[in-house]
Amino acid sequence: MSGRMGQDAARERRKDLARFFGTWVRNPIKMGAVAPSSAHYCATMVASATTHVEGPILELGPGLGCVTRALLDAGVDPARITSIEYDAEFARTLKERFPAVNVVRGDGFDLDATLGDGGATKFAAILFAIPIVKLPQGERQALFGRYFDRLLPGGNLTQLSYLWKPPVKPVAGRFDASASDIVWDNIPPARVWIYSRTGARPLH
Ligand SMILES: C[S@@+](CC[C@H](N)C(=O)[O-])C[C@H]1O[C@@H](n2cnc3c(N)ncnc32)[C@H](O)[C@@H]1O
C-alpha cells in the first residue's frame, strides 16, 4: 500500500488504537487487550483458519474488525462471514465498515441465543478473540465443546492468545491444540492457538 491509501489506513489505525484503548480503560476484562491485533497477527489468524472448507465462517469478538478485514483481504466472500460483537459501539462501526458482512451485536458465548437458530447453523471455521481469563478451565473446555458441535467436518477453531500454553486444554478424543509462531509485532506479542478435532489432519 502506498500514497494516499497508505496514509488513510495509517490514520484509521491510529484512531482505532485510541478508541480501543479508551474502551479497554473502561472495561479491561471484557476487552482483554489494550490494542487491536496487528495486521500481521490478523493475517496469521486467517491463514490458520479452515476458510477453504465450504460453508459460513464465524468470527467472535471482532472488535473494530482487523481480523474481518484480513478475511476479506484473503479473498473470503463477505456473505460467508458472521461477526458477533458484544460492544454496541464497535458493532455499529463494524456494520458501517463491512456492510456485506453479517454483523450481530450479541453474546458470542451463547450462540444459540445470539443466532436464534436452535443450533442449526454449522461453520467452516470459528475465529475466536473473546477474553476468557475469568472462566475456569472446565467451563472453557465445555464452551469449546459447544463450538465444536457447530463446526462442519474439517473445520477448526482458532484463538487469539498471549499465552505460551493453550488457554483451553485439549479434551481427549474431542479436540487437540497446536500453535502458530509468536507474532512479535503484536501488542503484546501473541500467537494463534489452533484447535482441531482429534485425528484431523493439520492444515499446513
Ligand atoms: C481482545 S479484543 C479482540 C478484537 C479483535 N478481534 C482484534 O484481534 O483486535 C476482544 C473483543 O471481544 C469483544 N467481546 C467481549 N466479550 C464478548 C462476548 N461475550 N461476545 C462477543 N464479543 C465479546 C470485546 O468487546 C472486544 O471487541
Side-chain angles (χ1 to χ4, degrees):
M1 204 184 302
S2 65
R4 181 82 185 271
M5 268 172 67
Q7 284 172 15
D8 287 351
R11 197 173 307 116
E12 185 170 291
R13 167 93 181 147
R14 279 198 298 276
K15 277 195 198 158
D16 282 3
L17 278 166
R19 195 169 158 195
F20 208 94
F21 184 69
T23 310
W24 174 80
V25 168
R26 287 193 298 281
N27 202 342
I29 300 289
K30 220 157 193 93
M31 285 302 288
V34 293
S37 302
S38 70
H40 180 196
Y41 181 85
C42 294
T44 304
M45 176 84 143
V46 169
S48 306
T50 47
T51 57
H52 63 282
V53 173
E54 210 174 300
I57 289 173
L58 181 64
E59 187 191 8
L60 299 173
L64 288 168
C66 58
V67 172
T68 326
R69 179 159 293 125
L71 281 166
L72 301 181
D73 288 348
V76 173
D77 180 349
R80 291 177 65 196
I81 306 171
T82 291
S83 296
I84 300 178
E85 170 56 52
Y86 193 80
D87 184 275
E89 285 301 306
F90 282 4
R92 198 161 51 78
T93 297
L94 289 165
K95 283 180 190 178
E96 284 165 14
R97 283 185 180 170
F98 309 106
V101 168
N102 179 29
V103 176
V104 180
R105 197 256 143 173
D107 183 2
F109 288 145
D110 190 350
L111 294 186
D112 290 355
T114 302
L115 296 174
D117 64 349
T121 317
K122 309 280 182 201
F123 296 94
I126 300 178
L127 294 84
F128 179 90
I130 302 174
I132 53 167
V133 278
K134 294 278 261 185
L135 289 187
Q137 187 56 233
E139 285 183 34
R140 296 180 193 187
Q141 290 173 313
L143 175 72
F144 275 33
R146 290 195 293 281
Y147 291 150
F148 267 87
D149 290 340
R150 289 262 189 179
L151 277 173
L152 290 163
N156 74 6
L157 169 52
T158 45
Q159 180 185 25
L160 163 65
S161 171
Y162 312 117
L163 301 182
W164 273 202
K165 290 183 184 169
V168 183
K169 288 189 187 150
V171 175
R174 188 86 167 105
F175 58 83
D176 299 327
S178 60
S180 73
D181 290 338
I182 296 169
V183 179
W184 290 100
D185 76 356
N186 200 69
I187 308 171
R191 66 201 320 184
V192 181
W193 281 97
I194 305 159
Y195 302 87
S196 309
R197 277 199 181 88
T198 303
R201 266 193 310 142
L203 188 55
H204 298 293

